[in-house]
């Protein structure tokens, strides 16, 4: 029942908010910043917070080491001029291990918290469009990762468009398991 409710919510969100990517038609290129796990919570996992912090870094590296598989440009049909993982690596490195795990399966981020995450990204303030994927809840019991896809103005850090999404987690090993959910998110761009 929960899965059906989640599916209906996501389908309704996509219809209501439309994932209208018309703003990308005018863009020559975008800057991609990777996955920001700094506000994420993990539910039901046996691995330690330290293991997750290492996995988060390794997942972001997949955008470079397995660029064909994790090709954001191909799905968006717009050139990615820069893949800059420095900003997310910096905020992910500052994750407090004591606050990573949760017992709340309804954990999510508010619109204001999403805005704060974008403003906290240490990116260069230059004109352009940036894309970051913000992780919310990694639910091992449901084998599902929930995320927020966020396009923003790299100069002002204003959100241009964002939407909630998620993906089924699968694979062997901690990195591959949660990278599976990111792969699904990218395929749904």
């Amino acid at each position: 029942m929960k899965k059906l409710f989640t599916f209906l919510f996501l389908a309704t969100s996509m219809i209501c908010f439309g994932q209208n990517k018309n703003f990308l038609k005018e863009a020559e290129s975008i800057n991609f910043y990777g996955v920001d796990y700094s506000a994420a919570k993990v539910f039901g996992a046996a691995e330690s917070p330290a293991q997750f912090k290492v996995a988060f870094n390794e997942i972001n590296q997949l955008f470079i080491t397995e660029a064909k598989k994790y090709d954001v440009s191909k799905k968006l049909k717009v050139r990615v001029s820069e893949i800059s993982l420095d900003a997310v690596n910096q905020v992910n490195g500052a994750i407090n291990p004591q606050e990573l795990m949760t017992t709340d399966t309804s954990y999510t981020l508010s619109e204001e918290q999403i805005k704060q995450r974008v403003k906290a990204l240490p990116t260069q303030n230059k004109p352009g469009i940036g894309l970051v994927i913000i992780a919310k809840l990694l639910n091992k019991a449901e084998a599902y990762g929930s995320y927020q896809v966020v396009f923003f103005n790299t100069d002002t850090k204003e959100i241009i468009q964002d939407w909630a999404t998620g993906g089924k987690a699968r694979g062997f090993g901690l990195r591959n398991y949660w990278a599976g959910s990111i792969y699904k998110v990218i395929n749904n761009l």
Side-chain angles (χ1 to χ4, degrees):
M1 188 68 172
K2 280 185 181 180
K3 289 181 184 181
L4 177 62
F5 179 77
T6 302
F7 173 74
L8 290 173
F9 173 75
L10 291 175
T12 304
S13 296
M14 286 190 285
I15 292 166
C16 292
F17 301 110
Q19 289 191 19
N20 183 355
K21 295 180 255 180
N22 288 336
F23 67 94
L24 288 176
K25 290 179 182 174
E26 298 173 12
E28 285 184 26
S29 65
I30 63 168
N31 296 325
F32 179 60
Y33 295 99
V35 184
D36 177 351
Y37 290 97
S38 63
K41 299 290 183 196
V42 176
F43 174 80
E47 295 85 2
S48 72
Q51 289 172 302
F52 270 95
K53 283 183 71 169
V54 170
F56 296 159
N57 184 48
E58 291 173 348
I59 290 168
N60 274 312
Q61 286 302 314
L62 292 173
F63 293 109
I64 295 171
T65 60
E66 295 186 30
K68 279 189 173 185
K69 183 175 180 180
Y70 296 91
D71 189 354
V72 174
S73 175
K74 181 178 173 184
K75 294 299 176 184
L76 293 174
K77 296 179 177 48
V78 67
R79 184 174 67 87
V80 173
S81 60
E82 179 181 8
I83 296 176
S84 177
L85 302 176
D86 294 339
V88 293
N89 286 342
Q90 189 173 340
V91 294
N92 291 343
I95 293 172
N96 181 348
Q98 305 294 322
E99 297 174 3
L100 185 59
M101 305 310 233
T102 186
T103 57
D104 180 8
T105 59
S106 64
Y107 175 82
T108 191
L109 296 173
S110 69
E111 190 175 314
E112 188 57 38
Q113 289 171 311
I114 297 292
K115 287 179 184 176
Q116 290 172 357
R117 296 306 341 128
V118 171
K119 288 190 186 306
L121 275 178
T123 60
Q124 293 180 345
N125 293 1
K126 58 184 180 180
I129 296 175
L131 166 61
V132 65
I133 300 169
I134 299 176
K136 296 187 281 190
L137 179 65
L138 305 179
N139 187 331
K140 179 73 182 259
E142 302 262 334
Y144 191 82
S146 60
Y147 303 90
Q148 192 82 9
V149 173
V150 182
F151 290 91
F152 63 98
N153 180 313
T154 54
D155 187 27
T156 64
K157 301 272 184 96
E158 266 185 65
I159 294 176
I160 299 168
Q161 185 154 2
D162 68 319
W163 63 84
T165 188
K168 193 85 171 146
R170 55 183 288 196
F172 295 103
L174 186 60
R175 180 200 74 170
N176 292 344
Y177 186 76
W178 292 110
S181 65
I182 293 295
Y183 180 73
K184 299 286 190 230
V185 167
I186 291 169
N187 279 330
N188 292 331
L189 285 176

